[in-house]
Amino acid sequence: MIRTTCPYCGVGCGLKITPDGKGGADVVGDPDHPANRGRICSKGAALGETLSLEDRLLHPEVDGRHVSWDSALDTVADGFREIVTRHGPDTVAFYVSGQLLTEDYYAANKLIKGFIGTANIDTNSRLCMASSVAGHKRAFGSDTVPGLYEDFELADLVVLVGSNLAWCHPVLFQRLEAAKRVRPAMRIVVVDPRRTETCDIADLHLGLRPGSDVALFNALLAELQRRGATAKRFVDKHTVGMDDALIAARASDVGQCDLPKADLETFFDWFARTEKTVTLYSQGVNQSSAGVDKVNALINCHLLTGRIGRPGMGPFSITGQPNAMGGREVGALSNTLAAHMDFALEDVGRVGRFWNTNRVPRKAGLKAVELFEAVRAGRVKAVWIMATNPVASLPNADAVRAALAACELSVVSEAIRASDTVDACRVRLPALAWAEKNGTVTNSERGISRQRPFLPPPGEARQDWWIIAEVARRLGHGEAFAWKGVADIFREHARLSAFENDGQRDFDIGAYADIDDSAYDSLKPFVWPAAKGSHPTTTRFFADGGFFHSDGRARFIATAAREPLHAPSTEWPIRLNTGRVRDQWHTMTRTAKSPRLAGHRPEPTIELNAIDAAQRGLQDGDIAEVISAWGRAALRVHLSRALRQGEAFAPMHWTAQLSRAGRINAAVNPAVDPISGQPELKHTPVEVRRVAVQWHGTILARRPIMLPAVTYWARIRGAGCHAYLLAGEQPLASARRALSAAMRTANPGPWVDGEDALGAVISDGRLEAVMRIGKAHDETARDRLAPFMAVAQLDSEQRCVLLHGGDAADRGGEICACLGVSNASVQAAIANGAMTLDAVGAVTKAGTSCGSCRPEIRALLRAARPRQAA
Ligand SMILES: Nc1nc2c(c(=O)[nH]1)N[C@H]1C(S)=C(S)[C@@H](COP(=O)(O)OP(=O)(O)OC[C@H]3O[C@@H](n4cnc5c(=O)[nH]c(N)nc54)[C@H](O)[C@@H]3O)O[C@H]1N2
Ligand SMILES: Nc1nc2c(c(=O)[nH]1)N[C@H]1C(S)=C(S)[C@@H](COP(=O)(O)OP(=O)(O)OC[C@H]3O[C@@H](n4cnc5c(=O)[nH]c(N)nc54)[C@H](O)[C@@H]3O)O[C@H]1N2
Ligand code: SF4
Ligand SMILES: [Mo]
């Protein structure tokens, strides 16, 4: 059994792994890990299904040819050297990721900032945490998350702003849910334009107008002061700028939020009266052209009330990626330097002394969106991408693809071959993946945990730090990169955090600067700070001031509410919001391998309010084009009661690998916050138009199919098969011909026609491939057909049911990913009288494993109640 950390979200759950000896593993929550105490969510629980080597990049490639490591590394080193010599260091760049381990991250940052001599390294955290980083620095003088996870459990009021915790940080949601069950008096408020699954445990949902958070928190600040909630001693002793912040707050108009007066009154009242208040916030705050102001507007409320750094209270920026915090610690944003230092002259000198180099740049580098603009314009001529998929995840994504195509030297270090970004890069370096990697990550509460390998390295793949160090050596910097393993890098990183620190910098893990290899190997999770000579504790920051501005005081920031940069217009009347679904992770390079995760949301959707849909002649299941001034995507229409009129939502996950036109970021605008440079991914004015498709189809096949050209397709994994969901504009008959030919090419055998536009390849009694095609969208076809693929040999009755109809399985998709319980089974249980979550669990088992689906089961229960009462 090996203890490691989950590679997905920033909760950073500890896991216990038992490899099965055949390349797979059993994964359970680690009861001893402080982040999760044994809990786990649907994505974590399905990790065992994502370990196969299918789709992995296993050998270095240059210009599409498989080459040796030596040759690939020479190509990278020679290319960077030559471009730097010809055009200067600022014409090269790295674009890295919060999914690198701290040791890899440290190596990348050291190479480019310390030795290549440019700050042109940015990370996908720019799309994620940059506004929080900037807001923290403005308020506290440092990028410090003051609190701990247990504060959510200790609080009497938890305000979730722009966070869909139920789906995005499920284990923290479970902890919150459990705390509320024990103490029902605890109140939860959700501030989100959408009525998300997180609202399931909320006492109040403030469905505000998108982008109006500053107006809301300004109004709150003014109200707190009016109601006498000011912590006068704390404000006088530890802060500056309250008066200006209050003047700005009073000047903004809460009417902009479009919220019922009574709800506002309740919110102000609860906040004013509740000392133990936590404000937890995420991408609804950060991914905005006013992201930094949103952060400061809500921090202002905590400074005014002195509610920070004590148990059960404080602002809490929840991070997305497993090592978003580690990236901030090593300083891999282009506007930070290293170990929570930036480009102040003394920091540049200090880091240069520590690294023994005089090349440290004196100014910040390019931020993600401008970095790829610079690539496109030819100002940056070499870019090395590591552990991120910008062709899918950056806004205005077609421009990113075009930038890479125009780039002299595009390099990518990746674990997966099938990725839009790998397709777009010239040099492809195979990286080890989670199960094989070794190092540390930092979670949202500053907790550092080990990731430990439990599978052997496949093919020629190597860990990222090794690849970086090999390039460094070829560039003549071998001595500075002569690490023998990850423990060497960790110790160096810990030494730098403590170097000339004396308490001036929050990030200090000097206590670990001298640990030996075996202590590193067995390292238990710990929360920083952990200065040399200190005893392990879990510390909060700022209860008694001690802010990191030179005068030790926090800053109130006067914030003025402003509209998103691109407002809706008559041409683009709908506000497109984007984000996540429960069971997929980002660009799906890993989660899409798991059949059980595919059940929940199998396709890329555009969720619309019923009124907006009706105005456009759109019905549930139609195919629609989402069009903006930047680009377009074609998605399945999904009507949703969670959305306000005039607002749409699309998940960010689908790439060209999985759906021809499902990449929503082709349409998302590249506006950024003026301070943080974080893109406004939550707000793009768009129009949505019906695509006049003639038919809809579903194919399941044992072997993957080369699809003919069709308007819309999405592909997912089924158990033992590949599933395709299709729709097209050509006549039904010709589509049917083309598709059946494609099916048979990959899955040879005799073709059998069934009723109801069904056709199948059945060879020696085994179903090889099956298609259902017709004029209408049949949402349940995949679930009905899947059980037949699971049968080794169809008996005559099964064959008859398959070809001539009848219900072989239940309908309506999967609700419980862990135990494979369908929506229909849950509904049937409810219809038979299971009226509580526990009762549904007892009958169907749904919701009794990881619990991620409990909000959805409760929604079905709620929906059933009025019907049963009637
Ligand atoms: N299942 C799953 N979990 C994940 C991830 C994943 O890919 N899949 N990714 C991880 C990562 S990297 C991140 S960053 C986190 C993100 O975690 P979250 O931030 O919780 O997730 P999102 O869905 O991006 O957005 C959160 C909410 O912001 C709302 N929102 C949009 N505009 C506004 C606004 O103007 N104001 C307010 N108040 N809210 C608004 C959206 O409606 C959405 O419900 O999730 C992490 N966890
Ligand atoms: N429209 C819209 N766009 C968004 C967002 C949104 O809410 N809306 N959210 C944004 C946010 S918050 C984030 S964090 C980003 C995430 O976006 P990305 O970072 O682009 O998403 P991932 O799919 O996680 O990409 C990580 C890649 O690294 C690879 N990989 C995994 N492990 C390793 C490793 O150890 N080494 C190497 N070299 N490669 C590895 C994976 O195969 C994968 O291709 O998306 C952003 N984009
Ligand atoms: S909540 Fe789920 S995805 Fe996040 S770290 Fe824990 S198990 Fe992994
Ligand atoms: Mo993120």
Side-chain angles (χ1 to χ4, degrees):
M1 189 274 296
I2 290 130
R3 282 175 210 272
T4 187
T5 314
C6 177
Y8 296 129
C9 84
V11 179
C13 295
L15 304 175
K16 283 169 50 175
I17 310 279
T18 315
D20 65 8
K22 295 179 292 197
D26 181 51
V27 180
V28 296
D30 179 355
D32 299 326
H33 197 286
N36 58 318
R37 298 262 171 247
R39 291 184 168 93
I40 192 166
C41 79
S42 50
K43 292 183 299 301
L47 272 164
E49 289 182 16
T50 66
L51 303 175
S52 82
L53 296 182
E54 191 187 329
D55 283 348
R56 283 287 296 270
L57 179 66
L58 293 174
H59 304 282
E61 291 176 17
V62 176
D63 295 325
R65 274 179 307 110
H66 173 182
V67 299
S68 69
W69 263 115
D70 253 338
S71 147
L73 294 164
D74 287 345
T75 306
V76 177
D78 293 347
F80 270 79
R81 185 189 306 104
E82 202 186 302
I83 290 169
V84 168
T85 312
R86 265 195 289 136
H87 306 285
D90 289 337
T91 60
V92 303
F94 290 179
Y95 182 57
V96 301
S97 158
Q99 290 167 79
L100 289 171
L101 304 186
T102 296
E103 292 74 4
D104 301 318
Y105 232 149
Y106 179 89
N109 192 55
K110 181 178 181 184
L111 173 58
I112 193 156
K113 288 197 184 122
F115 294 86
I116 294 179
T118 172
N120 281 346
I121 174 171
D122 211 28
T123 135
N124 63 357
S125 281
R126 183 70 59 197
L127 318 179
C128 185
M129 305 316 306
S131 296
S132 286
V133 173
H136 286 157
K137 285 185 156 187
R138 286 209 297 187
F140 309 145
S142 60
D143 175 21
T144 315
V145 175
L148 299 167
Y149 291 160
E150 66 178 33
D151 293 328
F152 314 152
E153 293 157 332
L154 298 171
D156 295 317
L157 173 65
V158 176
V159 184
L160 296 144
V161 192
S163 154
N164 188 6
L165 203 72
W167 281 9
C168 297
H169 299 94
V171 163
L172 286 181
F173 182 80
Q174 287 177 35
R175 284 179 62 167
L176 191 60
E177 194 185 20
K180 191 169 159 73
R181 215 175 303 131
V182 176
R183 269 189 316 121
M186 169 188 211
R187 288 198 172 109
I188 296 173
V189 177
V190 172
V191 182
D192 191 318
R194 289 194 305 149
R195 187 170 189 86
T196 60
E197 257 63 20
T198 304
C199 297
D200 186 53
I201 58 164
D203 300 281
L204 178 66
H205 169 222
L206 297 177
L208 82 179
R209 210 165 128 254
S212 65
D213 305 71
V214 172
L216 178 66
F217 283 90
N218 275 353
L220 175 63
L221 188 76
E223 275 298 309
L224 290 170
Q225 194 261 346
R226 203 178 63 80
R227 292 171 191 228
T230 308
K232 213 174 158 318
R233 238 187 55 105
F234 184 90
V235 171
D236 289 347
K237 204 164 158 217
H238 299 305
T239 72
V240 292
M242 177 185 73
D243 292 338
D244 287 345
L246 279 167
I247 292 169
R250 289 191 201 106
S252 80
D253 171 17
V254 75
Q256 282 179 15
C257 303
D258 194 16
L259 287 168
K261 273 214 168 57
D263 288 354
L264 281 172
E265 187 58 30
T266 306
F267 175 52
F268 295 156
D269 188 45
W270 288 354
F271 205 112
R273 285 199 283 131
T274 315
E275 176 75 352
K276 288 192 174 175
T277 295
V278 169
T279 307
L280 189 158
Y281 64 96
S282 187
Q283 301 314 340
V285 169
N286 294 336
Q287 290 173 341
S288 158
S289 58
V292 185
D293 279 352
K294 287 185 181 184
V295 170
N296 287 111
L298 69 84
I299 290 177
N300 284 345
C301 297
H302 282 269
L303 292 176
L304 187 92
T305 50
R307 294 174 192 158
I308 189 164
R310 285 179 284 143
M313 60 186 83
F316 199 106
S317 147
I318 183 100
T319 55
Q321 298 177 92
N323 203 26
M325 292 283 272
R328 287 146 78 172
E329 290 154 15
V330 304
L333 286 158
S334 64
N335 56 324
T336 59
L337 179 53
H340 280 207
M341 287 177 268
D342 45 35
F343 293 91
L345 215 55
E346 67 270 22
D347 286 348
V348 171
R350 183 179 302 117
V351 173
R353 272 196 300 288
F354 183 81
W355 281 341
N356 196 16
T357 172
N358 55 13
R359 284 208 181 83
V360 177
R362 281 164 198 217
K363 60 171 187 13
L366 296 167
K367 302 187 172 89
V369 172
E370 43 183 34
L371 192 158
F372 282 92
E373 279 164 12
V375 172
R376 186 145 101 133
R379 279 177 277 122
V380 165
K381 297 169 195 303
V383 63
W384 185 355
I385 297 163
M386 302 176 203
T388 177
N389 193 358
V391 173
S393 58
L394 272 173
N396 197 10
D398 288 344
V400 174
R401 183 186 275 156
L404 288 174
C407 185
E408 216 173 296
L409 180 61
S410 51
V411 183
V412 63
S413 299
E414 243 301 335
I416 297 292
R417 176 63 188 82
S419 123
D420 295 354
T421 299
V422 172
D423 282 348
C425 288
R426 270 191 59 204
V427 182
R428 300 162 181 160
L429 307 174
L432 293 183
W434 168 68
E436 305 127 19
K437 292 194 72 161
N438 199 359
T440 55
V441 289
T442 309
N443 71 9
S444 298
E445 62 169 353
R446 293 175 271 110
I448 296 181
S449 299
R450 287 281 277 114
Q451 265 193 20
R452 297 185 176 89
F454 58 88
L455 291 179
E460 295 179 85
R462 294 288 162 82
Q463 189 160 337
D464 291 282
W465 71 265
W466 179 90
I467 306 175
I468 295 157
E470 282 297 309
V471 169
R473 194 164 64 79
R474 285 169 170 76
L475 290 171
H477 312 301
E479 218 176 300
F481 293 82
W483 305 303
K484 283 193 221 45
V486 277
D488 283 343
I489 310 180
F490 183 79
R491 284 186 286 264
E492 183 178 317
H493 168 60
R495 276 207 318 280
L496 175 57
S497 77
F499 185 61
E500 302 175 7
N501 190 334
D502 305 323
Q504 289 154 31
R505 306 193 303 268
D506 60 342
F507 177 63
D508 186 340
I509 54 166
Y512 296 86
D514 302 315
I515 59 169
D516 60 24
D517 287 8
S518 78
Y520 176 80
D521 280 341
S522 58
L523 191 69
K524 289 213 168 68
F526 71 94
V527 168
W528 64 257
K532 203 174 191 88
S534 69
H535 294 291
T537 51
T538 42
T539 318
R540 295 176 179 85
F541 282 87
F542 310 141
D544 303 308
F547 294 95
F548 291 92
H549 286 296
S550 53
D551 56 6
R553 288 164 176 264
R555 301 284 184 273
F556 280 90
I557 305 292
T559 51
R562 58 177 192 271
E563 288 290 310
L565 205 69
H566 296 289
S569 60
T570 41
E571 192 182 1
W572 313 113
I574 294 198
R575 295 165 189 265
L576 173 70
N577 175 2
T578 62
R580 290 154 173 82
V581 301
R582 192 188 77 192
D583 288 351
Q584 294 301 342
W585 176 260
H586 292 166
T587 69
M588 297 170 70
T589 56
R590 287 167 282 175
T591 40
K593 284 186 169 181
S594 160
R596 70 165 137 164
L597 294 181
H600 181 243
R601 292 288 165 96
E603 285 181 274
T605 51
I606 177 77
E607 293 180 24
L608 288 169
N609 170 292
I611 298 170
D612 295 316
Q615 283 171 353
R616 289 162 179 77
L618 285 164
Q619 290 180 349
D620 204 66
D622 280 351
I623 303 297
E625 239 187 345
V626 178
I627 311 163
S628 76
W630 295 272
R632 55 183 66 209
L635 311 165
R636 180 82 67 189
V637 173
H638 188 72
L639 296 193
S640 164
R641 275 185 291 195
L643 292 167
R644 296 155 47 101
Q645 199 183 334
E647 294 166 21
F649 179 84
M652 62 163 291
H653 306 291
W654 274 267
T655 66
Q657 310 290 323
L658 297 166
S659 176
R660 186 189 76 90
R663 223 164 100 257
I664 192 63
N665 273 332
V668 170
N669 80 95
V672 298
D673 180 281
I675 299 166
S676 69
Q678 179 156 354
E680 187 143 64
L681 296 163
K682 295 280 183 268
H683 195 282
T684 303
V686 298
E687 183 51 293
V688 181
R689 275 190 218 136
R690 184 159 183 277
V691 179
V693 296
Q694 304 289 318
W695 54 268
H696 295 263
T698 302
I699 295 176
L700 305 186
R702 295 203 187 275
R703 280 166 296 277
I705 294 173
M706 285 282 291
L707 289 175
V710 296
T711 311
Y712 170 88
W713 60 259
R715 95 187 145 85
I716 48 166
R717 290 311 298 258
C721 68
H722 302 261
Y724 301 84
L725 305 159
L726 312 140
E729 289 158 289
Q730 72 266 56
L732 174 61
S734 67
R736 191 177 148 86
R737 267 195 310 276
L739 288 167
S740 54
M743 284 163 71
R744 290 175 73 183
T745 307
N747 300 272
W751 183 263
V752 191
D753 280 318
E755 268 170 27
D756 219 15
L758 191 123
V761 180
I762 301 175
S763 180
D764 290 337
R766 190 169 97 130
L767 181 61
E768 300 294 334
V770 54
M771 166 167 69
R772 161 92 180 66
I773 188 167
K775 291 239 172 277
H777 171 50
D778 180 354
E779 199 189 343
T780 63
R782 188 176 60 96
D783 288 334
R784 286 203 321 275
L785 298 173
F788 296 101
M789 295 296 289
V791 178
Q793 187 96 22
L794 298 172
D795 64 28
S796 59
E797 192 192 332
Q798 286 165 332
R799 189 182 157 106
C800 184
V801 175
L802 167 69
L803 294 174
H804 304 292
D807 260 344
D810 22 44
R811 303 166 169 269
E814 200 154 84
I815 196 160
C816 174
C818 296
L819 302 167
V821 185
S822 70
N823 198 312
S825 311
V826 171
Q827 302 223 33
I830 295 171
N832 288 328
M835 288 312 288
T836 63
L837 204 55
D838 289 342
V840 170
V843 180
T844 65
K845 299 270 185 300
T848 59
S849 177
C850 81
S852 293
C853 62
R854 282 206 283 265
E856 282 151 281
I857 300 173
R858 275 204 212 92
L860 291 177
L861 282 165
R862 268 196 307 273
R865 253 168 231 145
R867 246 189 290 135
Q868 299 200 335

